[in-house]
Amino acid sequence: VATGPDGKVQPVVLAPQHPCFAPELHIALACWQALLADEQQPERIKKSDLLAWLREHAPQLSKTAAERIAQVVSPGPLPRH
């Protein structure tokens, strides 16, 4: 457990100051929390929804990185929409 910049306690995996901090993992977790954590019908979330969220919230990602993260965040096979 670590303290974030806002002073709140957060898991070490989310602590940017940790020497093993993984930015793409952090982005993937944020995307999952935003779109899927409270979703009762995860099949409603399409690849285009994940990619749109990533473009808006992590514009620094390459297209390849965004595709990779969308694949990891998806709860199952992604429809090609």
Side-chain angles (χ1 to χ4, degrees):
V1 181
T3 303
D6 58 2
K8 293 182 180 177
V9 174
Q10 61 186 12
V12 171
V13 71
L14 298 178
Q17 68 274 19
H18 192 280
C20 294
F21 178 72
E24 286 188 16
L25 177 58
H26 181 78
I27 293 166
L29 287 170
C31 182
W32 184 90
Q33 287 178 316
L35 298 178
L36 293 164
D38 296 323
E39 180 59 54
Q40 297 300 313
Q41 296 176 319
E43 65 278 0
R44 292 179 11 171
I45 304 298
K46 296 179 175 53
K47 180 180 181 181
S48 59
D49 299 323
L50 298 171
L51 292 171
W53 189 95
L54 291 166
R55 276 192 303 276
E56 181 180 344
H57 294 91
Q60 74 278 15
L61 291 175
S62 67
K63 182 178 181 185
T64 302
E67 292 275 343
R68 182 172 54 245
I69 290 171
Q71 189 66 43
V72 169
V73 169
S74 175
L78 285 175
R80 298 291 170 194
H81 306 302

